[in-house]
Amino acid sequence: FKDIEFGSGSDFDSAVTFGDAGNFTAGAQLFEGTNTFGEDSKFADSQSFAAAQIFNGTNTFGAGTVFASGHNFTVAGTVASASV
């Protein structure tokens, strides 16, 4: 699926694969474990990721995004940040 918009506070299990252009900007989500996000995914301000994630292609992160300790962005695509 592509271009899906998710509501604030959605709770996702681990190992979920999201298609391209997922829109998570309505509010912070709960992502359990490691998940895979398609290209052009967008995330809300203050989103946190407790575990390392797989981001494919270019993605946009809101201000105040927190990533898991040791997260390696060199494995997958490019990170764009709205917080700069």
Side-chain angles (χ1 to χ4, degrees), residues 22 24-25 31 37-49 51 53-68 71-73 76-84:
F24 302 94
T25 60
F31 297 109
F37 298 93
E39 184 172 8
D40 297 325
S41 294
K42 297 178 183 177
F43 299 90
D45 291 348
S46 301
Q47 177 63 60
S48 63
F49 298 97
Q53 307 295 314
I54 300 168
F55 299 106
N56 294 307
T58 302
N59 296 281
T60 303
F61 302 94
T65 298
V66 177
F67 298 97
H71 192 105
N72 182 356
F73 286 102
T78 304
V79 177
S81 175
S83 63
V84 177

PDB file of all heavy atoms in Angstrom, residues 22 24-25 31 37-49 51 53-68 71-73 76-84:
ATOM      1  N   GLY A  22       4.318   6.669   3.436  1.00  0.00           N
ATOM      2  CA  GLY A  22       3.490   6.580   4.642  1.00  0.00           C
ATOM      3  C   GLY A  22       3.494   7.920   5.362  1.00  0.00           C
ATOM      4  O   GLY A  22       4.531   8.552   5.504  1.00  0.00           O
ATOM      5  N   PHE A  24       2.862   9.675   8.762  1.00  0.00           N
ATOM      6  CA  PHE A  24       2.719   9.503  10.204  1.00  0.00           C
ATOM      7  C   PHE A  24       2.750  10.858  10.919  1.00  0.00           C
ATOM      8  O   PHE A  24       3.111  10.961  12.081  1.00  0.00           O
ATOM      9  CB  PHE A  24       3.851   8.617  10.741  1.00  0.00           C
ATOM     10  CG  PHE A  24       3.918   7.251  10.101  1.00  0.00           C
ATOM     11  CD1 PHE A  24       4.742   7.031   9.012  1.00  0.00           C
ATOM     12  CD2 PHE A  24       3.151   6.209  10.578  1.00  0.00           C
ATOM     13  CE1 PHE A  24       4.817   5.778   8.412  1.00  0.00           C
ATOM     14  CE2 PHE A  24       3.207   4.952   9.992  1.00  0.00           C
ATOM     15  CZ  PHE A  24       4.038   4.741   8.902  1.00  0.00           C
ATOM     16  N   THR A  25       2.369  11.935  10.227  1.00  0.00           N
ATOM     17  CA  THR A  25       2.511  13.287  10.767  1.00  0.00           C
ATOM     18  C   THR A  25       1.371  13.736  11.674  1.00  0.00           C
ATOM     19  O   THR A  25       1.444  14.818  12.255  1.00  0.00           O
ATOM     20  CB  THR A  25       2.674  14.318   9.627  1.00  0.00           C
ATOM     21  OG1 THR A  25       1.514  14.267   8.787  1.00  0.00           O
ATOM     22  CG2 THR A  25       3.927  14.044   8.807  1.00  0.00           C
ATOM     23  N   PHE A  31       6.012   2.403  17.701  1.00  0.00           N
ATOM     24  CA  PHE A  31       6.597   1.382  16.840  1.00  0.00           C
ATOM     25  C   PHE A  31       7.356   0.404  17.714  1.00  0.00           C
ATOM     26  O   PHE A  31       8.382   0.732  18.292  1.00  0.00           O
ATOM     27  CB  PHE A  31       7.536   2.020  15.808  1.00  0.00           C
ATOM     28  CG  PHE A  31       6.851   2.961  14.861  1.00  0.00           C
ATOM     29  CD1 PHE A  31       7.074   4.326  14.948  1.00  0.00           C
ATOM     30  CD2 PHE A  31       5.983   2.487  13.895  1.00  0.00           C
ATOM     31  CE1 PHE A  31       6.452   5.207  14.073  1.00  0.00           C
ATOM     32  CE2 PHE A  31       5.346   3.358  13.010  1.00  0.00           C
ATOM     33  CZ  PHE A  31       5.586   4.723  13.099  1.00  0.00           C
ATOM     34  N   PHE A  37      10.362   1.014   6.642  1.00  0.00           N
ATOM     35  CA  PHE A  37       9.565   2.113   6.093  1.00  0.00           C
ATOM     36  C   PHE A  37       9.973   2.380   4.654  1.00  0.00           C
ATOM     37  O   PHE A  37      11.158   2.447   4.336  1.00  0.00           O
ATOM     38  CB  PHE A  37       9.769   3.382   6.925  1.00  0.00           C
ATOM     39  CG  PHE A  37       9.320   3.219   8.343  1.00  0.00           C
ATOM     40  CD1 PHE A  37      10.213   2.822   9.317  1.00  0.00           C
ATOM     41  CD2 PHE A  37       7.999   3.447   8.699  1.00  0.00           C
ATOM     42  CE1 PHE A  37       9.805   2.647  10.636  1.00  0.00           C
ATOM     43  CE2 PHE A  37       7.577   3.277  10.016  1.00  0.00           C
ATOM     44  CZ  PHE A  37       8.477   2.867  10.981  1.00  0.00           C
ATOM     45  N   GLY A  38       8.984   2.542   3.781  1.00  0.00           N
ATOM     46  CA  GLY A  38       9.242   2.825   2.372  1.00  0.00           C
ATOM     47  C   GLY A  38       9.719   4.252   2.156  1.00  0.00           C
ATOM     48  O   GLY A  38       9.685   5.098   3.051  1.00  0.00           O
ATOM     49  N   GLU A  39      10.138   4.506   0.944  1.00  0.00           N
ATOM     50  CA  GLU A  39      10.631   5.821   0.547  1.00  0.00           C
ATOM     51  C   GLU A  39       9.561   6.890   0.717  1.00  0.00           C
ATOM     52  O   GLU A  39       8.376   6.635   0.557  1.00  0.00           O
ATOM     53  CB  GLU A  39      11.057   5.761  -0.918  1.00  0.00           C
ATOM     54  CG  GLU A  39      11.679   7.026  -1.420  1.00  0.00           C
ATOM     55  CD  GLU A  39      12.255   6.864  -2.807  1.00  0.00           C
ATOM     56  OE1 GLU A  39      12.057   5.817  -3.448  1.00  0.00           O
ATOM     57  OE2 GLU A  39      12.912   7.804  -3.245  1.00  0.00           O
ATOM     58  N   ASP A  40       9.998   8.090   1.049  1.00  0.00           N
ATOM     59  CA  ASP A  40       9.138   9.271   1.194  1.00  0.00           C
ATOM     60  C   ASP A  40       8.174   9.203   2.384  1.00  0.00           C
ATOM     61  O   ASP A  40       7.155   9.884   2.403  1.00  0.00           O
ATOM     62  CB  ASP A  40       8.348   9.556  -0.087  1.00  0.00           C
ATOM     63  CG  ASP A  40       9.248   9.894  -1.267  1.00  0.00           C
ATOM     64  OD1 ASP A  40      10.302  10.536  -1.034  1.00  0.00           O
ATOM     65  OD2 ASP A  40       8.924   9.519  -2.403  1.00  0.00           O
ATOM     66  N   SER A  41       8.488   8.409   3.388  1.00  0.00           N
ATOM     67  CA  SER A  41       7.670   8.383   4.608  1.00  0.00           C
ATOM     68  C   SER A  41       7.912   9.678   5.380  1.00  0.00           C
ATOM     69  O   SER A  41       9.005  10.237   5.352  1.00  0.00           O
ATOM     70  CB  SER A  41       8.033   7.181   5.479  1.00  0.00           C
ATOM     71  OG  SER A  41       7.696   5.983   4.823  1.00  0.00           O
ATOM     72  N   LYS A  42       6.876  10.158   6.076  1.00  0.00           N
ATOM     73  CA  LYS A  42       6.958  11.397   6.852  1.00  0.00           C
ATOM     74  C   LYS A  42       6.519  11.112   8.281  1.00  0.00           C
ATOM     75  O   LYS A  42       5.541  10.405   8.497  1.00  0.00           O
ATOM     76  CB  LYS A  42       6.056  12.466   6.243  1.00  0.00           C
ATOM     77  CG  LYS A  42       6.453  12.860   4.848  1.00  0.00           C
ATOM     78  CD  LYS A  42       5.487  13.883   4.277  1.00  0.00           C
ATOM     79  CE  LYS A  42       5.857  14.211   2.847  1.00  0.00           C
ATOM     80  NZ  LYS A  42       4.893  15.141   2.247  1.00  0.00           N
ATOM     81  N   PHE A  43       7.243  11.707   9.239  1.00  0.00           N
ATOM     82  CA  PHE A  43       6.974  11.458  10.650  1.00  0.00           C
ATOM     83  C   PHE A  43       6.709  12.755  11.394  1.00  0.00           C
ATOM     84  O   PHE A  43       7.257  13.810  11.057  1.00  0.00           O
ATOM     85  CB  PHE A  43       8.156  10.710  11.278  1.00  0.00           C
ATOM     86  CG  PHE A  43       8.400   9.379  10.632  1.00  0.00           C
ATOM     87  CD1 PHE A  43       9.262   9.271   9.549  1.00  0.00           C
ATOM     88  CD2 PHE A  43       7.744   8.255  11.072  1.00  0.00           C
ATOM     89  CE1 PHE A  43       9.475   8.055   8.929  1.00  0.00           C
ATOM     90  CE2 PHE A  43       7.945   7.027  10.464  1.00  0.00           C
ATOM     91  CZ  PHE A  43       8.814   6.920   9.381  1.00  0.00           C
ATOM     92  N   ALA A  44       5.906  12.666  12.442  1.00  0.00           N
ATOM     93  CA  ALA A  44       5.514  13.821  13.252  1.00  0.00           C
ATOM     94  C   ALA A  44       6.662  14.338  14.104  1.00  0.00           C
ATOM     95  O   ALA A  44       7.656  13.638  14.343  1.00  0.00           O
ATOM     96  CB  ALA A  44       4.347  13.437  14.171  1.00  0.00           C
ATOM     97  N   ASP A  45       6.493  15.560  14.594  1.00  0.00           N
ATOM     98  CA  ASP A  45       7.420  16.110  15.581  1.00  0.00           C
ATOM     99  C   ASP A  45       7.429  15.210  16.809  1.00  0.00           C
ATOM    100  O   ASP A  45       6.406  14.589  17.148  1.00  0.00           O
ATOM    101  CB  ASP A  45       6.969  17.508  16.018  1.00  0.00           C
ATOM    102  CG  ASP A  45       7.114  18.544  14.910  1.00  0.00           C
ATOM    103  OD1 ASP A  45       7.766  18.251  13.886  1.00  0.00           O
ATOM    104  OD2 ASP A  45       6.567  19.640  15.088  1.00  0.00           O
ATOM    105  N   SER A  46       8.579  15.111  17.443  1.00  0.00           N
ATOM    106  CA  SER A  46       8.754  14.372  18.702  1.00  0.00           C
ATOM    107  C   SER A  46       8.512  12.874  18.585  1.00  0.00           C
ATOM    108  O   SER A  46       8.271  12.204  19.587  1.00  0.00           O
ATOM    109  CB  SER A  46       7.868  14.964  19.804  1.00  0.00           C
ATOM    110  OG  SER A  46       8.197  16.321  20.007  1.00  0.00           O
ATOM    111  N   GLN A  47       8.594  12.316  17.372  1.00  0.00           N
ATOM    112  CA  GLN A  47       8.497  10.872  17.207  1.00  0.00           C
ATOM    113  C   GLN A  47       9.736  10.235  17.826  1.00  0.00           C
ATOM    114  O   GLN A  47      10.839  10.757  17.686  1.00  0.00           O
ATOM    115  CB  GLN A  47       8.401  10.503  15.720  1.00  0.00           C
ATOM    116  CG  GLN A  47       8.360   9.003  15.457  1.00  0.00           C
ATOM    117  CD  GLN A  47       7.127   8.349  16.056  1.00  0.00           C
ATOM    118  OE1 GLN A  47       6.012   8.701  15.710  1.00  0.00           O
ATOM    119  NE2 GLN A  47       7.327   7.419  16.967  1.00  0.00           N
ATOM    120  N   SER A  48       9.570   9.116  18.512  1.00  0.00           N
ATOM    121  CA  SER A  48      10.732   8.406  19.038  1.00  0.00           C
ATOM    122  C   SER A  48      10.718   6.972  18.533  1.00  0.00           C
ATOM    123  O   SER A  48       9.660   6.386  18.318  1.00  0.00           O
ATOM    124  CB  SER A  48      10.760   8.446  20.568  1.00  0.00           C
ATOM    125  OG  SER A  48       9.645   7.783  21.093  1.00  0.00           O
ATOM    126  N   PHE A  49      11.910   6.445  18.332  1.00  0.00           N
ATOM    127  CA  PHE A  49      12.091   5.072  17.876  1.00  0.00           C
ATOM    128  C   PHE A  49      12.967   4.374  18.908  1.00  0.00           C
ATOM    129  O   PHE A  49      14.165   4.652  19.015  1.00  0.00           O
ATOM    130  CB  PHE A  49      12.771   5.047  16.504  1.00  0.00           C
ATOM    131  CG  PHE A  49      11.972   5.731  15.416  1.00  0.00           C
ATOM    132  CD1 PHE A  49      12.252   7.039  15.066  1.00  0.00           C
ATOM    133  CD2 PHE A  49      10.955   5.064  14.767  1.00  0.00           C
ATOM    134  CE1 PHE A  49      11.527   7.674  14.068  1.00  0.00           C
ATOM    135  CE2 PHE A  49      10.218   5.692  13.770  1.00  0.00           C
ATOM    136  CZ  PHE A  49      10.502   6.997  13.419  1.00  0.00           C
ATOM    137  N   ALA A  51      13.809   1.214  19.027  1.00  0.00           N
ATOM    138  CA  ALA A  51      14.687   0.225  18.394  1.00  0.00           C
ATOM    139  C   ALA A  51      15.141   0.772  17.044  1.00  0.00           C
ATOM    140  O   ALA A  51      14.490   1.647  16.470  1.00  0.00           O
ATOM    141  CB  ALA A  51      13.928  -1.092  18.192  1.00  0.00           C
ATOM    142  N   GLN A  53      15.481   1.151  13.194  1.00  0.00           N
ATOM    143  CA  GLN A  53      14.498   0.949  12.131  1.00  0.00           C
ATOM    144  C   GLN A  53      15.213   0.864  10.788  1.00  0.00           C
ATOM    145  O   GLN A  53      16.389   1.213  10.674  1.00  0.00           O
ATOM    146  CB  GLN A  53      13.500   2.114  12.101  1.00  0.00           C
ATOM    147  CG  GLN A  53      12.826   2.412  13.414  1.00  0.00           C
ATOM    148  CD  GLN A  53      11.926   1.296  13.899  1.00  0.00           C
ATOM    149  OE1 GLN A  53      11.135   0.735  13.141  1.00  0.00           O
ATOM    150  NE2 GLN A  53      12.046   0.953  15.173  1.00  0.00           N
ATOM    151  N   ILE A  54      14.490   0.423   9.769  1.00  0.00           N
ATOM    152  CA  ILE A  54      15.022   0.394   8.409  1.00  0.00           C
ATOM    153  C   ILE A  54      14.249   1.422   7.602  1.00  0.00           C
ATOM    154  O   ILE A  54      13.033   1.298   7.437  1.00  0.00           O
ATOM    155  CB  ILE A  54      14.875  -1.014   7.789  1.00  0.00           C
ATOM    156  CG1 ILE A  54      15.639  -2.034   8.634  1.00  0.00           C
ATOM    157  CG2 ILE A  54      15.355  -1.004   6.329  1.00  0.00           C
ATOM    158  CD1 ILE A  54      15.329  -3.479   8.289  1.00  0.00           C
ATOM    159  N   PHE A  55      14.944   2.461   7.134  1.00  0.00           N
ATOM    160  CA  PHE A  55      14.336   3.527   6.344  1.00  0.00           C
ATOM    161  C   PHE A  55      14.868   3.430   4.916  1.00  0.00           C
ATOM    162  O   PHE A  55      16.063   3.582   4.691  1.00  0.00           O
ATOM    163  CB  PHE A  55      14.681   4.897   6.935  1.00  0.00           C
ATOM    164  CG  PHE A  55      14.194   5.099   8.335  1.00  0.00           C
ATOM    165  CD1 PHE A  55      15.077   5.081   9.397  1.00  0.00           C
ATOM    166  CD2 PHE A  55      12.847   5.307   8.596  1.00  0.00           C
ATOM    167  CE1 PHE A  55      14.641   5.275  10.700  1.00  0.00           C
ATOM    168  CE2 PHE A  55      12.396   5.500   9.903  1.00  0.00           C
ATOM    169  CZ  PHE A  55      13.292   5.480  10.951  1.00  0.00           C
ATOM    170  N   ASN A  56      13.977   3.167   3.967  1.00  0.00           N
ATOM    171  CA  ASN A  56      14.376   3.071   2.568  1.00  0.00           C
ATOM    172  C   ASN A  56      14.177   4.403   1.864  1.00  0.00           C
ATOM    173  O   ASN A  56      13.169   5.066   2.064  1.00  0.00           O
ATOM    174  CB  ASN A  56      13.550   1.990   1.865  1.00  0.00           C
ATOM    175  CG  ASN A  56      13.866   0.621   2.407  1.00  0.00           C
ATOM    176  OD1 ASN A  56      15.019   0.220   2.456  1.00  0.00           O
ATOM    177  ND2 ASN A  56      12.844  -0.099   2.843  1.00  0.00           N
ATOM    178  N   GLY A  57      15.130   4.792   1.038  1.00  0.00           N
ATOM    179  CA  GLY A  57      15.006   6.035   0.287  1.00  0.00           C
ATOM    180  C   GLY A  57      15.104   7.250   1.187  1.00  0.00           C
ATOM    181  O   GLY A  57      15.689   7.213   2.257  1.00  0.00           O
ATOM    182  N   THR A  58      14.481   8.336   0.763  1.00  0.00           N
ATOM    183  CA  THR A  58      14.494   9.593   1.493  1.00  0.00           C
ATOM    184  C   THR A  58      13.251   9.682   2.359  1.00  0.00           C
ATOM    185  O   THR A  58      12.142   9.421   1.889  1.00  0.00           O
ATOM    186  CB  THR A  58      14.522  10.779   0.515  1.00  0.00           C
ATOM    187  OG1 THR A  58      15.682  10.658  -0.306  1.00  0.00           O
ATOM    188  CG2 THR A  58      14.563  12.100   1.238  1.00  0.00           C
ATOM    189  N   ASN A  59      13.419  10.030   3.624  1.00  0.00           N
ATOM    190  CA  ASN A  59      12.295  10.161   4.557  1.00  0.00           C
ATOM    191  C   ASN A  59      12.422  11.491   5.285  1.00  0.00           C
ATOM    192  O   ASN A  59      13.503  12.058   5.382  1.00  0.00           O
ATOM    193  CB  ASN A  59      12.307   8.998   5.565  1.00  0.00           C
ATOM    194  CG  ASN A  59      12.097   7.672   4.876  1.00  0.00           C
ATOM    195  OD1 ASN A  59      10.982   7.323   4.546  1.00  0.00           O
ATOM    196  ND2 ASN A  59      13.176   6.951   4.617  1.00  0.00           N
ATOM    197  N   THR A  60      11.306  12.002   5.813  1.00  0.00           N
ATOM    198  CA  THR A  60      11.306  13.285   6.497  1.00  0.00           C
ATOM    199  C   THR A  60      10.888  13.089   7.945  1.00  0.00           C
ATOM    200  O   THR A  60       9.856  12.469   8.210  1.00  0.00           O
ATOM    201  CB  THR A  60      10.333  14.266   5.797  1.00  0.00           C
ATOM    202  OG1 THR A  60      10.729  14.391   4.431  1.00  0.00           O
ATOM    203  CG2 THR A  60      10.368  15.635   6.467  1.00  0.00           C
ATOM    204  N   PHE A  61      11.684  13.629   8.881  1.00  0.00           N
ATOM    205  CA  PHE A  61      11.435  13.500  10.309  1.00  0.00           C
ATOM    206  C   PHE A  61      11.152  14.864  10.906  1.00  0.00           C
ATOM    207  O   PHE A  61      11.838  15.831  10.607  1.00  0.00           O
ATOM    208  CB  PHE A  61      12.638  12.853  10.999  1.00  0.00           C
ATOM    209  CG  PHE A  61      12.967  11.506  10.429  1.00  0.00           C
ATOM    210  CD1 PHE A  61      13.913  11.379   9.433  1.00  0.00           C
ATOM    211  CD2 PHE A  61      12.299  10.380  10.864  1.00  0.00           C
ATOM    212  CE1 PHE A  61      14.200  10.135   8.883  1.00  0.00           C
ATOM    213  CE2 PHE A  61      12.575   9.137  10.331  1.00  0.00           C
ATOM    214  CZ  PHE A  61      13.524   9.009   9.329  1.00  0.00           C
ATOM    215  N   GLY A  62      10.139  14.940  11.771  1.00  0.00           N
ATOM    216  CA  GLY A  62       9.783  16.192  12.423  1.00  0.00           C
ATOM    217  C   GLY A  62      10.806  16.610  13.459  1.00  0.00           C
ATOM    218  O   GLY A  62      11.695  15.836  13.847  1.00  0.00           O
ATOM    219  N   ALA A  63      10.657  17.837  13.929  1.00  0.00           N
ATOM    220  CA  ALA A  63      11.549  18.380  14.960  1.00  0.00           C
ATOM    221  C   ALA A  63      11.468  17.521  16.225  1.00  0.00           C
ATOM    222  O   ALA A  63      10.396  17.047  16.597  1.00  0.00           O
ATOM    223  CB  ALA A  63      11.150  19.816  15.284  1.00  0.00           C
ATOM    224  N   GLY A  64      12.595  17.300  16.854  1.00  0.00           N
ATOM    225  CA  GLY A  64      12.621  16.573  18.120  1.00  0.00           C
ATOM    226  C   GLY A  64      12.551  15.067  17.989  1.00  0.00           C
ATOM    227  O   GLY A  64      12.339  14.364  18.977  1.00  0.00           O
ATOM    228  N   THR A  65      12.739  14.522  16.797  1.00  0.00           N
ATOM    229  CA  THR A  65      12.723  13.067  16.617  1.00  0.00           C
ATOM    230  C   THR A  65      13.890  12.458  17.379  1.00  0.00           C
ATOM    231  O   THR A  65      15.002  12.983  17.371  1.00  0.00           O
ATOM    232  CB  THR A  65      12.826  12.701  15.125  1.00  0.00           C
ATOM    233  OG1 THR A  65      11.689  13.241  14.440  1.00  0.00           O
ATOM    234  CG2 THR A  65      12.865  11.194  14.916  1.00  0.00           C
ATOM    235  N   VAL A  66      13.636  11.327  18.047  1.00  0.00           N
ATOM    236  CA  VAL A  66      14.660  10.621  18.823  1.00  0.00           C
ATOM    237  C   VAL A  66      14.811   9.221  18.245  1.00  0.00           C
ATOM    238  O   VAL A  66      13.829   8.494  18.101  1.00  0.00           O
ATOM    239  CB  VAL A  66      14.267  10.542  20.312  1.00  0.00           C
ATOM    240  CG1 VAL A  66      15.305   9.744  21.093  1.00  0.00           C
ATOM    241  CG2 VAL A  66      14.095  11.924  20.902  1.00  0.00           C
ATOM    242  N   PHE A  67      16.061   8.862  17.923  1.00  0.00           N
ATOM    243  CA  PHE A  67      16.343   7.546  17.366  1.00  0.00           C
ATOM    244  C   PHE A  67      17.025   6.666  18.416  1.00  0.00           C
ATOM    245  O   PHE A  67      17.658   7.163  19.336  1.00  0.00           O
ATOM    246  CB  PHE A  67      17.248   7.684  16.137  1.00  0.00           C
ATOM    247  CG  PHE A  67      16.607   8.467  15.035  1.00  0.00           C
ATOM    248  CD1 PHE A  67      16.873   9.822  14.885  1.00  0.00           C
ATOM    249  CD2 PHE A  67      15.712   7.871  14.174  1.00  0.00           C
ATOM    250  CE1 PHE A  67      16.263  10.559  13.885  1.00  0.00           C
ATOM    251  CE2 PHE A  67      15.093   8.591  13.170  1.00  0.00           C
ATOM    252  CZ  PHE A  67      15.377   9.941  13.027  1.00  0.00           C
ATOM    253  N   ALA A  68      16.891   5.354  18.232  1.00  0.00           N
ATOM    254  CA  ALA A  68      17.507   4.391  19.145  1.00  0.00           C
ATOM    255  C   ALA A  68      19.017   4.611  19.194  1.00  0.00           C
ATOM    256  O   ALA A  68      19.638   4.975  18.192  1.00  0.00           O
ATOM    257  CB  ALA A  68      17.203   2.967  18.689  1.00  0.00           C
ATOM    258  N   HIS A  71      21.729   3.840  16.233  1.00  0.00           N
ATOM    259  CA  HIS A  71      21.046   3.671  14.947  1.00  0.00           C
ATOM    260  C   HIS A  71      22.003   4.021  13.812  1.00  0.00           C
ATOM    261  O   HIS A  71      22.670   5.047  13.845  1.00  0.00           O
ATOM    262  CB  HIS A  71      19.809   4.572  14.864  1.00  0.00           C
ATOM    263  CG  HIS A  71      18.936   4.232  13.702  1.00  0.00           C
ATOM    264  ND1 HIS A  71      17.754   3.574  13.849  1.00  0.00           N
ATOM    265  CD2 HIS A  71      19.082   4.425  12.384  1.00  0.00           C
ATOM    266  CE1 HIS A  71      17.210   3.386  12.663  1.00  0.00           C
ATOM    267  NE2 HIS A  71      18.011   3.903  11.753  1.00  0.00           N
ATOM    268  N   ASN A  72      22.086   3.171  12.794  1.00  0.00           N
ATOM    269  CA  ASN A  72      23.017   3.345  11.682  1.00  0.00           C
ATOM    270  C   ASN A  72      22.252   3.764  10.428  1.00  0.00           C
ATOM    271  O   ASN A  72      21.512   2.984   9.866  1.00  0.00           O
ATOM    272  CB  ASN A  72      23.766   2.032  11.443  1.00  0.00           C
ATOM    273  CG  ASN A  72      24.779   2.151  10.329  1.00  0.00           C
ATOM    274  OD1 ASN A  72      24.897   3.169   9.670  1.00  0.00           O
ATOM    275  ND2 ASN A  72      25.519   1.070  10.128  1.00  0.00           N
ATOM    276  N   PHE A  73      22.441   5.007   9.993  1.00  0.00           N
ATOM    277  CA  PHE A  73      21.749   5.497   8.809  1.00  0.00           C
ATOM    278  C   PHE A  73      22.519   5.255   7.518  1.00  0.00           C
ATOM    279  O   PHE A  73      22.063   5.603   6.455  1.00  0.00           O
ATOM    280  CB  PHE A  73      21.466   6.996   8.945  1.00  0.00           C
ATOM    281  CG  PHE A  73      20.364   7.285   9.915  1.00  0.00           C
ATOM    282  CD1 PHE A  73      20.652   7.739  11.187  1.00  0.00           C
ATOM    283  CD2 PHE A  73      19.037   7.089   9.566  1.00  0.00           C
ATOM    284  CE1 PHE A  73      19.635   7.996  12.096  1.00  0.00           C
ATOM    285  CE2 PHE A  73      18.023   7.343  10.463  1.00  0.00           C
ATOM    286  CZ  PHE A  73      18.321   7.795  11.727  1.00  0.00           C
ATOM    287  N   ALA A  76      20.704   2.175   4.818  1.00  0.00           N
ATOM    288  CA  ALA A  76      19.618   2.420   3.870  1.00  0.00           C
ATOM    289  C   ALA A  76      19.754   3.830   3.290  1.00  0.00           C
ATOM    290  O   ALA A  76      20.812   4.405   3.278  1.00  0.00           O
ATOM    291  CB  ALA A  76      18.271   2.224   4.562  1.00  0.00           C
ATOM    292  N   GLY A  77      18.657   4.411   2.875  1.00  0.00           N
ATOM    293  CA  GLY A  77      18.616   5.654   2.123  1.00  0.00           C
ATOM    294  C   GLY A  77      19.103   6.909   2.832  1.00  0.00           C
ATOM    295  O   GLY A  77      19.947   6.872   3.698  1.00  0.00           O
ATOM    296  N   THR A  78      18.533   8.011   2.459  1.00  0.00           N
ATOM    297  CA  THR A  78      18.925   9.338   2.916  1.00  0.00           C
ATOM    298  C   THR A  78      17.947   9.841   3.962  1.00  0.00           C
ATOM    299  O   THR A  78      16.755   9.597   3.849  1.00  0.00           O
ATOM    300  CB  THR A  78      18.906  10.310   1.728  1.00  0.00           C
ATOM    301  OG1 THR A  78      19.750   9.786   0.705  1.00  0.00           O
ATOM    302  CG2 THR A  78      19.378  11.691   2.112  1.00  0.00           C
ATOM    303  N   VAL A  79      18.418  10.559   4.949  1.00  0.00           N
ATOM    304  CA  VAL A  79      17.560  11.116   5.982  1.00  0.00           C
ATOM    305  C   VAL A  79      17.414  12.605   5.748  1.00  0.00           C
ATOM    306  O   VAL A  79      18.395  13.314   5.607  1.00  0.00           O
ATOM    307  CB  VAL A  79      18.158  10.862   7.384  1.00  0.00           C
ATOM    308  CG1 VAL A  79      17.301  11.521   8.446  1.00  0.00           C
ATOM    309  CG2 VAL A  79      18.293   9.379   7.632  1.00  0.00           C
ATOM    310  N   ALA A  80      16.176  13.066   5.718  1.00  0.00           N
ATOM    311  CA  ALA A  80      15.908  14.502   5.637  1.00  0.00           C
ATOM    312  C   ALA A  80      15.262  14.909   6.946  1.00  0.00           C
ATOM    313  O   ALA A  80      14.448  14.171   7.490  1.00  0.00           O
ATOM    314  CB  ALA A  80      14.976  14.806   4.479  1.00  0.00           C
ATOM    315  N   SER A  81      15.615  16.054   7.461  1.00  0.00           N
ATOM    316  CA  SER A  81      15.052  16.476   8.729  1.00  0.00           C
ATOM    317  C   SER A  81      14.429  17.847   8.625  1.00  0.00           C
ATOM    318  O   SER A  81      15.049  18.782   8.101  1.00  0.00           O
ATOM    319  CB  SER A  81      16.138  16.493   9.815  1.00  0.00           C
ATOM    320  OG  SER A  81      15.608  17.015  11.008  1.00  0.00           O
ATOM    321  N   ALA A  82      13.234  17.973   9.128  1.00  0.00           N
ATOM    322  CA  ALA A  82      12.563  19.258   9.168  1.00  0.00           C
ATOM    323  C   ALA A  82      13.039  20.071  10.353  1.00  0.00           C
ATOM    324  O   ALA A  82      12.663  21.218  10.519  1.00  0.00           O
ATOM    325  CB  ALA A  82      11.050  19.048   9.242  1.00  0.00           C
ATOM    326  N   SER A  83      13.859  19.473  11.200  1.00  0.00           N
ATOM    327  CA  SER A  83      14.268  20.148  12.431  1.00  0.00           C
ATOM    328  C   SER A  83      15.547  20.954  12.279  1.00  0.00           C
ATOM    329  O   SER A  83      16.023  21.533  13.230  1.00  0.00           O
ATOM    330  CB  SER A  83      14.433  19.126  13.556  1.00  0.00           C
ATOM    331  OG  SER A  83      15.457  18.205  13.239  1.00  0.00           O
ATOM    332  N   VAL A  84      16.108  20.985  11.097  1.00  0.00           N
ATOM    333  CA  VAL A  84      17.365  21.714  10.900  1.00  0.00           C
ATOM    334  C   VAL A  84      17.097  23.184  10.679  1.00  0.00           C
ATOM    335  O   VAL A  84      16.182  23.593  10.070  1.00  0.00           O
ATOM    336  CB  VAL A  84      18.143  21.139   9.689  1.00  0.00           C
ATOM    337  CG1 VAL A  84      19.401  21.929   9.437  1.00  0.00           C
ATOM    338  CG2 VAL A  84      18.470  19.693   9.932  1.00  0.00           C
TER     339      VAL A  84
END
